[in-house]
Amino acid sequence: SEFGFPEALALAQDGTIYVADTDNHAIRKIKNGQVTTISDDDWYYPKGIQVSGNFAYVSDTGHDKIKKINLTTNAVTTIAQDLNSPTKMVKCGDMIYFANTGQMRILQLDLNTLDVTTIATGFLNIGGLAVMEDTMYVVDGDGLFDYIREVNLDTGNYDVIAEDPHMETLNNASGITLFDNNLFVANKG
């Protein structure tokens, strides 16, 4: 299979990989070396995906929506709309946090009530999100000024915990993850 600039991957507990195949406007599944399209919904530049249990949550960026896919039936439901270019996302408990890049904000979607609220504002270009307990780590920058910010999820306040004024270690970061109490950042630059 040929992918078109996929911007997000999610790993299910059974080892299946789900792909937001961005420029092909599709959601794909890789299992046992086989690639299949799992949804024939009308996707338009999906750029974020998270898997939890029997569901995948997808940022349908071009349609300004967050959608949920039932991975058993492949049925698609819109769970948030009228957003502004939602992209990178992370799920923590019953909350999905995502970058609303058209406004350079981080929003929270409560999966129980489907309420969307603003968590933090004032970013340059959000490249990725990671959450541990009540703290979110955000890769933010424009290739010239790049930062890792630590956001308090209760207050929305944030501090810079790493920056790179020389474009050597943080440069157009496109992802961040936590593993074994360490932050790992993917840099496009």
Side-chain angles (χ1 to χ4, degrees), residues 48-128:
I49 189 165
Q50 290 286 299
V51 173
S52 179
N54 290 326
F55 297 100
Y57 300 92
V58 181
S59 295
D60 191 359
T61 305
H63 285 138
D64 297 323
K65 298 177 180 180
I66 302 291
K67 296 179 180 178
K68 176 174 77 172
I69 304 171
N70 181 317
L71 297 175
T72 303
T73 65
N74 292 341
V76 178
T77 306
T78 297
I79 58 174
Q81 57 189 355
D82 299 324
L83 303 172
N84 196 331
S85 297
T87 57
K88 306 296 183 174
M89 60 178 8
V90 63
K91 183 178 180 299
C92 185
D94 290 333
M95 302 295 173
I96 291 181
Y97 300 95
F98 61 94
N100 208 38
T101 57
Q103 298 173 316
M104 288 305 142
R105 296 179 177 189
I106 296 171
L107 302 183
Q108 170 187 285
L109 169 61
D110 185 318
L111 293 174
N112 294 315
T113 64
L114 300 184
D115 291 335
V116 176
T117 55
T118 299
I119 296 297
T121 64
F123 297 93
L124 296 171
N125 186 21
I126 301 166

Side-chain angles (χ1 to χ4, degrees), residues 160-171:
V160 172
I161 61 169
E163 62 183 303
D164 183 6
H166 305 291
M167 300 185 315
E168 294 172 353
T169 57
L170 293 173
N171 190 292

